[in-house]
């Protein structure tokens, strides 16, 4: 069980940094046996309250940079939407396993695929805010066009529970890249989280990512960053093989 909100010290030099803001966390409980075949070798489902969890997580990304260089010019601020689940490896490292990451700028898509093998897809994506409400939309470029529309009303009640930490206090990711399972660590300030309620969810990404059983099912958890939060910088180390 994850109980520490604060990131441990990075185990190596950070190579990428970016600012995260306006995140919404939509999650469903699933049987761990349903996600086990989708995880990289050397990892197994991380569970909370007897369940594995699948998340649909849209957020705004900015100030993308290859350290120690300044932010990449012309990228500006853009939307990213990922579908993810959670794994633990034999060394006890709890991380994210991404099933897809939809992003509206091609440069970071290509960079992340090359460096980490992450399943980034280029998409038309955007965000709109109206008072305490936030709406994300995305539609993938290419021959197949899965997309999503997420609209949520952000609350003001602070959330810090064992479940919220399990879903968000994730200090790295596992991925299969070049025939090996890799781990890359990240660090950022603790997630500021508040309650949220979905106004609308019209989504193809979760089913397209291997979880068709969740289509139309009410999420089991909806959290968000406060509407007025400025976001925070996240730093990533280079990856190393673990299996």
């Amino acid at each position: 069980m994850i109980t520490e909100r604060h990131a441990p010290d990075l185990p190596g030099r950070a190579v990428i940094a970016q600012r995260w803001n306006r995140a919404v966390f939509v999650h469903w409980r699933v049987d761990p046996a349903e996600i086990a075949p989708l995880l990289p070798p050397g990892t197994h489902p991380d569970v909370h309250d007897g369940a594995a969890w699948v998340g649909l997580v849209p957020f705004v990304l900015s100030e993308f940079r290859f350290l120690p260089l300044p932010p990449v010019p012309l990228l500006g601020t853009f939307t990213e939407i990922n579908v993810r689940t959670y794994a633990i490896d034999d060394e006890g490292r709890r991380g994210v396993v991404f099933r897809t990451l939809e992003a509206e700028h091609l440069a970071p898509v290509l960079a992340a695929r090359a460096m980490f093998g992450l399943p980034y897809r280029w998409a038309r994506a955007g965000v709109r805010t109206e008072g305490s409400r936030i709406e994300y939309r995305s539609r993938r470029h290419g021959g197949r066009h899965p997309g999503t529309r997420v609209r949520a009303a952000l609350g003001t009640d602070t959330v810090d529970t064992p479940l919220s930490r399990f879903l968000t206090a994730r200090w790295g990711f596992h991925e299969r890249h070049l025939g090996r399972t890799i781990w890359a660590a990240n660090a950022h300030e603790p997630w500021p989280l508040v309650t949220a309620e979905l106004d609308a969810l019209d989504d193809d990404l979760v089913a397209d990512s291997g979880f068709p059983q969740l289509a139309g099912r009410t999420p089991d958890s909806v959290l968000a960053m406060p509407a007025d939060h400025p976001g925070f910088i996240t730093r990533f180390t280079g990856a190393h093989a673990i299996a």
Side-chain angles (χ1 to χ4, degrees):
M1 177 70 64
I2 291 178
T3 58
E4 179 55 63
R5 294 178 66 233
H6 297 269
D9 292 337
L10 287 175
R13 181 176 64 88
V15 296
I16 285 178
Q18 52 194 225
R19 180 176 293 275
W20 291 349
N21 194 13
R22 302 185 189 176
V24 178
F25 296 88
V26 181
H27 279 92
W28 295 263
R29 297 170 59 101
V30 297
D31 186 330
E34 295 179 1
I35 73 162
L38 304 177
L39 300 180
T43 70
H44 55 273
D46 200 2
V47 301
H48 175 83
D49 193 26
W53 293 76
V54 171
L56 176 67
V57 183
F59 63 99
V60 173
L61 190 150
S62 61
E63 300 175 39
F64 179 87
R65 67 184 68 192
F66 298 101
L67 297 171
L69 300 174
V72 176
L74 304 179
L75 287 185
T77 299
F78 61 95
T79 298
E80 182 175 308
I81 301 173
N82 65 66
V83 177
R84 63 197 230 177
T85 187
Y86 306 103
I88 184 169
D89 63 30
D90 293 339
E91 299 298 321
R93 290 172 293 225
R94 289 181 156 96
V96 176
V97 175
F98 295 104
R99 297 295 296 161
T100 187
L101 304 98
E102 314 284 312
E104 62 176 319
H105 274 304
L106 186 57
V109 167
L110 297 176
R113 290 181 71 96
M115 293 181 66
F116 300 117
L118 289 170
Y120 266 93
R121 275 86 172 190
W122 188 26
R124 297 183 300 275
V127 60
R128 181 176 65 180
T129 59
E130 182 180 341
S132 64
R133 283 175 164 77
I134 187 167
E135 180 175 321
Y136 285 93
R137 292 176 181 259
S138 177
R139 182 67 59 184
R140 191 179 301 169
H141 295 289
R144 299 180 63 217
H145 302 282
T148 193
R149 172 177 174 254
V150 183
R151 180 177 170 87
L154 309 185
T156 57
D157 293 336
T158 300
V159 178
D160 181 17
T161 65
L163 177 59
S164 71
R165 293 188 183 191
F166 176 87
L167 298 174
T168 66
R170 293 279 156 177
W171 310 120
F173 64 83
H174 296 95
E175 183 56 69
R176 192 70 173 169
H177 185 43
L178 300 178
R180 303 294 301 273
T181 297
I182 61 170
W183 162 262
N186 68 59
H188 55 75
E189 68 182 62
W191 281 102
L193 296 170
V194 295
T195 55
E197 294 185 3
L198 285 183
D199 288 341
L201 178 60
D202 182 10
D203 176 73
D204 304 320
L205 295 178
V206 171
D208 188 71
S209 298
F211 307 105
Q213 73 275 26
L214 300 180
R217 206 181 95 186
T218 301
D220 297 289
S221 172
V222 184
L223 301 167
M225 294 181 76
D228 59 352
H229 196 277
F232 50 71
I233 297 294
T234 303
R235 297 173 297 128
F236 293 84
T237 65
H240 68 272
I242 64 169

